[in-house]
Amino acid sequence: LTPCFSPPLSSSNVYMADLESALHYALRVEVARFSVLTGERVRALKDFVAVLAKYFPGRPFVRNFLHSVDRWLRNVRESRIPYSALELVLTNRKEVGLLSNNVTWVGCQGSEPHFRGYPCSLWTLFHLLTVQATRHRRLGTGPLEVLGAMRGYIQSFFGCRECAQHFEGMAAESMDKVRSVDEAALWLWSRHNRVNARLAGTETEDPQFPKLQWPPPELCRPCHSVVKRRQVWDEAAVLQFLKAYFSPINIFLNYTE
Ligand code: FAD
């Protein structure tokens, strides 16, 4: 059988469906793999949900949901959390009635089911959060707030353990050199490009979506400049581009748009 594949409207857009699917999958599938959360995992979950509650530019019911999960986690004093207790909060019908209980990939739709999907949406989510932290500096607790939450989530919960190891290697090498929220957004962008370079041409690459050094010139011409006949990034232009691309007004709410 030829797989039935209709290409996404554009993989160069940010879609709320992908982001909400990432939230569902992270909290109700990845975290759910642990029947009891202890130690580092409790810390990682609290930090992750705290940055989501603070920065996720979601629809009102999703923001209410994230705030209620955050409030609940903040009030947990025990060092262990049975997932069954968390699940009651995550499935509280009053607040999560509309947060879909399954995944819909749009910008992250792969040409076959094993391509793209959740990892794509997780990158998108964290890029968005680093950019949101640059817009709401008053709310922040420091340049590593979002990156630290991402590091903890990936280490504690991300199902691809090989990916987690690679990411931890990059984090241990240079994350603590990040000095501002702008640098945090750029750090994640440049590390994602390293991952893209490493994976280009491997079996994890969806042939319909080749791994690029991103953003390519068609998306951001000023991001690319030439110094002594070498292609280099103009990081100021990249930062400006990231802030526009991952801005709430650039998120498509309705994927038929
Ligand atoms: P993705 O790389 O997932 O990117 C998603 C979207 O983000 C792209 O469509 C594009 O719009 C945008 N984007 C691309 N590059 C950038 C950038 N530099 N900055 C901002 N936005 C960008 N897979 C492995 O096989 N081995 C690994 O070691 C590995 N490590 C991973 C580590 C992490 C933390 C994560 C979240 C995923 C990892 N993966 C790894 C999965 C892999 O990186 C891809 O997510 C997956 O192959 C799907 O690729 P994709 O084509 O959908 O694009």
Side-chain angles (χ1 to χ4, degrees):
L1 279 176
T2 318
C4 169
F5 168 61
S6 31
L9 296 142
S10 169
S11 59
S12 314
N13 283 329
V14 180
Y15 293 93
M16 195 53 95
D18 291 316
L19 295 164
E20 288 180 4
S21 296
L23 296 180
H24 160 72
Y25 198 89
L27 296 170
R28 299 202 193 112
V29 180
E30 297 241 89
V31 174
R33 291 205 181 99
F34 301 91
S35 55
V36 178
L37 304 173
T38 54
E40 264 312 295
R41 289 203 176 94
V42 171
R43 178 80 275 134
L45 180 66
K46 286 185 173 185
D47 290 350
F48 177 51
V49 173
V51 296
L52 289 173
K54 220 187 249 190
Y55 299 119
F56 186 74
R59 298 189 272 171
F61 71 89
V62 175
R63 302 190 57 163
N64 284 343
F65 161 66
L66 293 170
H67 279 290
S68 81
V69 180
D70 183 42
R71 253 192 324 272
W72 185 84
L73 284 169
R74 279 172 197 272
N75 285 330
V76 171
R77 293 279 162 256
E78 295 77 24
S79 56
R80 58 196 299 286
I81 304 180
Y83 185 77
S84 53
L86 176 63
E87 193 178 15
L88 291 177
V89 186
L90 295 176
T91 53
N92 178 345
R93 254 174 284 119
K94 221 174 52 202
E95 281 166 310
V96 293
L98 294 168
L99 179 64
S100 174
N101 209 22
N102 50 38
V103 293
T104 304
W105 307 124
V106 184
C108 286
Q109 172 73 55
S111 63
E112 290 186 42
H114 63 281
F115 288 132
R116 313 197 70 218
Y118 179 60
C120 166
S121 69
L122 198 59
W123 278 121
T124 308
L125 175 65
F126 280 114
H127 287 299
L128 176 71
L129 294 174
T130 58
V131 166
Q132 281 293 94
T134 69
R135 298 163 58 98
H136 300 283
R137 289 169 199 249
R138 274 179 309 107
L139 299 179
T141 59
L144 291 180
E145 185 183 25
V146 174
L147 292 182
M150 175 175 182
R151 183 178 184 175
Y153 175 82
I154 298 289
Q155 267 299 84
S156 285
F157 300 110
F158 193 36
C160 169
R161 296 318 297 160
E162 188 200 325
C163 306
Q165 252 179 17
H166 281 128
F167 189 75
E168 180 53 32
M170 294 193 294
E173 186 187 273
S174 59
M175 199 182 261
D176 66 351
K177 298 194 177 75
V178 168
R179 293 280 174 265
S180 66
V181 282
D182 283 350
E183 282 183 27
L186 282 169
W187 186 92
L188 192 58
W189 158 78
S190 76
R191 275 22 181 215
H192 190 171
N193 269 342
R194 275 201 204 170
V195 176
N196 294 343
R198 181 161 49 78
L199 298 181
T202 67
E203 66 202 2
T204 64
E205 179 178 63
D206 186 332
Q208 303 270 353
F209 299 94
K211 305 241 177 245
L212 302 168
Q213 290 303 286
W214 192 95
E218 314 83 85
L219 271 186
C220 180
R221 173 69 57 196
C223 293
H224 298 262
S225 61
V226 177
V227 174
K228 295 189 185 150
R229 292 206 223 138
R230 284 187 52 224
Q231 290 275 351
V232 291
W233 292 107
D234 179 332
E235 292 204 350
V238 171
L239 183 61
Q240 210 182 352
F241 176 80
L242 291 173
K243 287 181 178 179
Y245 185 87
F246 292 104
S247 117
I249 55 161
N250 198 42
I251 301 175
F252 285 72
L253 283 176
N254 178 346
Y255 45 86
T256 57
E257 273 176 69

